[in-house]
Amino acid sequence: MDYPKSIPSVGLVNGRFVDENPVAGTPGSLIPAIWGNSVTQEILSVVAGAGMAPSEADNGQLLKAIQAIIGVTSPMRSVVTRLAASKLLAPEELGLVLIDASPGAATITLPPANVAMGVRDVIVRRVDNSGNRLVIQAAGTDRIRFHTHLSATGYPFLVLMGSGDWWHLRSDSAGIWWPVGRLDGSALGRQVFETTLQMNPGGYGALNGNVLSRSEWPWLWDHAQSSGALTTEAARGGKEGGWTSADGALNFRIPEARGEFLRVLDESRGVDAARMPGSSQLHTLQKHNHYLPTGTGSAISPASSIPDGMWDVAHDVNASPTNTTSATTYPNPAFDAGVDAGIGSIGTFSAETRPRNIAYPGRIKLI
């Protein structure tokens, strides 16, 4: 495309247009037909390249066509949108969307992922740490395709949890938003330890047995149902580390693990058999005997000098031996199977059996 330098025409100076000058007696430029047609064809080629039909009534087609063509090669626009309340996003606001939910709970609705909008990207990022619920909602029947191992069609919304939490989504012009990236892609339901009491962003909650709404956390409820660790609220005793169906209709309960030691599930190894995920075991001391061989005398002191295998007289150094019973044979199948082995079901024995440990806050991935 260029000025019509090679086309003879009245009023053109080196192909450039000039105004009429009545004083000097020089005419204004007359646009030659061949140049006017070529300009029009240049514009129509851009419109056609975007897959659009030319329309005399639409004076914005060139801009729309350029946007569509750019969108194919780079669906992310250099746009920053700042929000502090619920809103339906317009296509021209897509880019980096920064959301402050500190004034209150908010829902940000994405524009329809249809042919008119085409393939577009958006990064939704939370900037506050208020704890107010922040929902990113798909329009109408559109879906966001995350956690498709639980639901092939995805879900109608997601939640941003904590300052700095973000998701990068791409529309496919067919009603679907596809996740391209996110702050934390750890597996749903995963338990982790933290070195801070603060809730790190990215979709985490406390591992505290809370009751949640099924409608607000549909993907997590789907996860619970497929976990193999779901039970009823009435049967929760001894299974506090699993999920429950709570009221059986509207909510569900997440696992509780505060103050507990965790153990790897046996999964057919036979060391800790007959356990289901999330089940608990009582404190247990394996039943065994301590004894003094017959004829060793009626008193031994100090207690620290008593040989292994002898009756523990630490609590009564003047006790006399009464039998020569051997200690319990190891391993003890009843103990290994988690069955009450004598004194294991009374008290906690925490002063005797608790190993040295460090306590960290437990978290669970909620989305």
Side-chain angles (χ1 to χ4, degrees):
M1 188 65 194
D2 198 0
Y3 289 97
K5 301 173 185 177
S6 62
I7 304 173
S9 181
V10 176
L12 292 176
V13 178
N14 194 27
R16 293 178 180 270
F17 303 105
V18 295
D19 293 328
E20 179 184 7
N21 188 338
V23 176
T26 56
S29 300
L30 297 177
I31 300 175
I34 188 172
W35 187 83
N37 290 335
S38 68
V39 170
T40 303
Q41 186 57 53
E42 290 267 6
I43 296 173
L44 289 176
S45 295
V46 177
V47 173
M52 301 167 60
S55 172
E56 284 188 77
D58 189 350
N59 292 329
Q61 278 197 303
L62 180 59
L63 175 60
K64 294 175 183 176
I66 293 173
Q67 288 178 331
I69 293 171
I70 292 174
V72 171
T73 56
S74 179
M76 176 61 74
R77 307 292 169 80
S78 298
V79 176
V80 178
T81 302
R82 290 177 170 82
L83 304 174
S86 296
K87 190 181 190 302
L88 169 60
L89 286 172
E92 56 268 22
E93 294 176 304
L94 298 183
L96 174 60
V97 181
L98 303 175
I99 312 161
D100 181 1
S102 59
T107 297
I108 307 302
T109 304
L110 301 169
N114 53 27
V115 174
M117 187 180 70
V119 178
R120 293 292 301 276
D121 277 23
V122 62
I123 296 176
V124 286
R125 182 183 179 104
R126 183 168 188 157
V127 300
D128 73 286
N129 206 38
S130 65
N132 293 327
R133 185 173 173 84
L134 176 54
V135 174
I136 306 300
Q137 176 81 45
T141 58
D142 287 0
R143 288 294 181 269
I144 306 172
R145 288 278 175 88
F146 68 98
H147 295 329
T148 52
H149 66 294
L150 298 172
S151 173
T153 59
Y155 296 91
F157 63 91
L158 58 85
V159 292
L160 293 178
M161 302 179 65
S163 178
D165 192 13
W166 60 268
W167 287 59
H168 181 177
L169 305 173
R170 177 170 296 167
S171 65
D172 67 355
S173 74
I176 303 298
W177 289 91
W178 293 91
V180 177
R182 58 177 296 192
L183 174 64
D184 192 315
S186 300
L188 181 66
R190 179 163 294 171
Q191 299 179 10
V192 298
F193 291 122
E194 292 287 3
T195 56
T196 174
L197 289 173
Q198 289 192 352
M199 208 66 66
N200 278 331
Y204 291 92
L207 193 55
N208 59 6
N210 269 1
V211 173
L212 302 180
S213 167
R214 299 184 188 184
S215 63
E216 292 184 354
W217 304 91
W219 51 85
L220 195 59
W221 171 234
D222 287 344
H223 172 77
Q225 293 179 89
S226 64
S227 68
L230 178 66
T231 187
T232 64
E233 190 72 11
R236 183 172 179 247
K239 302 180 182 69
E240 294 85 353
W243 309 79
T244 82
S245 53
D247 68 357
L250 301 177
N251 51 40
F252 65 103
R253 188 184 296 276
I254 67 173
E256 166 70 273
R258 292 172 296 176
E260 302 285 357
F261 293 107
L262 304 183
R263 184 175 189 177
V264 177
L265 188 66
D266 184 278
E267 293 191 283
S268 302
R269 185 184 178 192
V271 174
D272 184 32
R275 298 284 300 280
M276 67 172 286
S279 61
S280 62
Q281 280 182 329
L282 290 173
H283 304 270
T284 304
L285 290 176
Q286 183 162 220
K287 182 165 59 177
H288 59 282
N289 301 307
H290 297 274
Y291 66 95
L292 285 174
T294 303
T296 57
S298 61
I300 296 180
S301 181
S304 60
S305 66
I306 301 174
D308 289 343
M310 305 183 76
W311 180 42
D312 185 356
V313 294
H315 302 101
D316 184 1
V317 297
N318 294 314
S320 298
T322 57
N323 61 68
T324 58
T325 305
S326 299
T328 302
T329 301
Y330 295 93
N332 183 337
F335 177 84
D336 293 340
V339 178
D340 171 26
I343 61 174
S345 61
I346 59 174
T348 65
F349 303 102
S350 61
E352 295 184 56
T353 63
R354 181 184 62 243
R356 180 172 176 170
N357 62 86
I358 296 174
Y360 284 125
R363 303 291 182 250
I364 183 171
K365 196 72 160 53
L366 299 179
I367 180 171

